[in-house]
Amino acid sequence: MLLEINDIHVHYGKIEAIKGISLEVAEGEIVTLIGANGAGKTTTLKTISGLRTLTSGSITFDGTDISRLPGHKRVLAGIGQAPEGRGVFPGMTVTENLLMGAYARKGDFGKDLDEVFELFPRLAERRDQAGGTMSGGEQQMVAIGRALMSRPKVLLLDEPSMGLAPKLVAQIFSIIKEINDRGTTVLLVEQNAQQALQLAHRAYVLETGRVVKSAPAADLLHDPQVREAYLGGELGAH
């Protein structure tokens, strides 16, 4: 198993945000976490990438316990994250933003840049443009591309479709599939549950800091309770 999360608890001060979540992600999978706002999805990703500290429980990555490993060493170990809100550096060019993703690596990054520009032709066209002048969709591409520059074994994506027009959402999701097809494992947090379940192999449903369901994504797509809670009742014609 590439990533194993075992009974993790995480606190913000005295508030317990994560109340014993366990989940696993196998190499080559796309796994999605769905749930309402405040369910603990983003906190789970931040805990995996080392931005939040565990109160208890453990995280094992690629056979090694990384529960106490600092965040920058987790990047070197192979965990890349495109954060919620994108976090693009506004005054830096697209290329400079992308290179920030490789800050911890040594050597020549030309091949990696070429691969990102191949995935995102829009970024290739705008490589010298300031990140802050890009549209929301373009900034999302920069955030994903920057995470890929660390050559992750697993890519953590936090709300990649947030605030994007439907056409752009479809484009971002097809790029996520392409990234996975090229061999990168993906753990996806996504408000757009229907798109996420159509893309993922497996899914976990989170409620108030706990996992309440886990199943193959296709099963959850047709689960009456999940449809009622997260897919607006009836499935669209999609």
Side-chain angles (χ1 to χ4, degrees):
M1 197 55 62
L2 183 62
L3 178 65
E4 290 177 85
I5 292 156
N6 185 35
D7 193 26
I8 62 168
H9 293 253
V10 177
H11 285 76
Y12 286 91
K14 291 185 176 171
I15 298 165
E16 190 172 30
I18 302 288
K19 303 167 183 172
I21 284 177
S22 296
L23 56 91
E24 53 187 38
V25 183
E27 195 166 343
E29 280 192 308
I30 299 176
V31 173
T32 186
L33 310 182
I34 63 171
N37 283 336
K41 305 184 302 293
T42 290
T43 302
T44 299
L45 288 195
K46 285 183 169 176
T47 306
I48 294 167
S49 60
L51 297 172
R52 300 297 318 173
T53 306
L54 281 177
T55 307
S56 64
S58 67
I59 300 172
T60 305
F61 180 66
D62 212 9
T64 303
D65 187 329
I66 61 163
S67 308
R68 301 281 170 245
L69 197 67
H72 66 282
K73 292 193 173 168
R74 298 189 196 194
V75 175
L76 287 171
I79 296 175
Q81 181 166 6
E84 183 181 16
R86 301 166 194 138
V88 167
F89 298 102
M92 295 167 75
T93 66
V94 167
T95 302
E96 288 166 343
N97 265 283
L98 293 174
L99 287 171
M100 287 302 287
Y103 77 96
R105 291 176 45 209
K106 294 185 169 55
D108 178 31
F109 311 124
K111 182 168 173 287
D112 303 288
L113 265 178
D114 289 344
E115 282 181 19
V116 170
F117 286 141
E118 186 193 337
L119 267 176
F120 300 105
R122 189 67 165 267
L123 299 186
E125 292 163 13
R126 308 194 166 206
R127 62 182 74 199
D128 298 322
Q129 189 171 326
T133 64
M134 311 283 278
S135 71
E138 290 162 347
Q139 289 193 13
Q140 186 60 63
M141 293 174 191
V142 171
I144 295 172
R146 183 179 59 199
L148 289 173
M149 288 294 291
S150 68
R151 284 200 184 157
K153 291 174 189 166
V154 64
L155 177 62
L156 310 180
L157 294 174
D158 195 355
E159 302 285 10
S161 80
M162 186 184 277
L164 302 186
K167 189 177 163 192
L168 268 174
V169 172
Q171 191 183 349
I172 291 288
F173 273 88
S174 75
I175 288 166
I176 295 167
K177 184 174 188 314
E178 173 68 21
I179 289 166
N180 181 247
D181 288 344
R182 291 182 180 199
T184 302
T185 304
V186 176
L187 179 57
L188 169 70
V189 158
E190 181 50 62
Q191 205 60 43
N192 189 330
Q194 184 162 322
Q195 290 265 22
L197 291 173
Q198 285 169 340
L199 178 74
H201 301 102
R202 290 188 306 108
Y204 293 85
V205 181
L206 269 56
E207 281 177 18
T208 58
R210 293 187 174 87
V211 172
V212 293
K213 270 183 199 254
S214 69
D219 293 359
L220 289 181
L221 199 53
H222 300 288
D223 179 308
Q225 285 177 304
V226 172
R227 282 167 62 164
E228 186 63 37
Y230 305 110
L231 303 174
E234 288 308 303
L235 269 176
H238 199 45

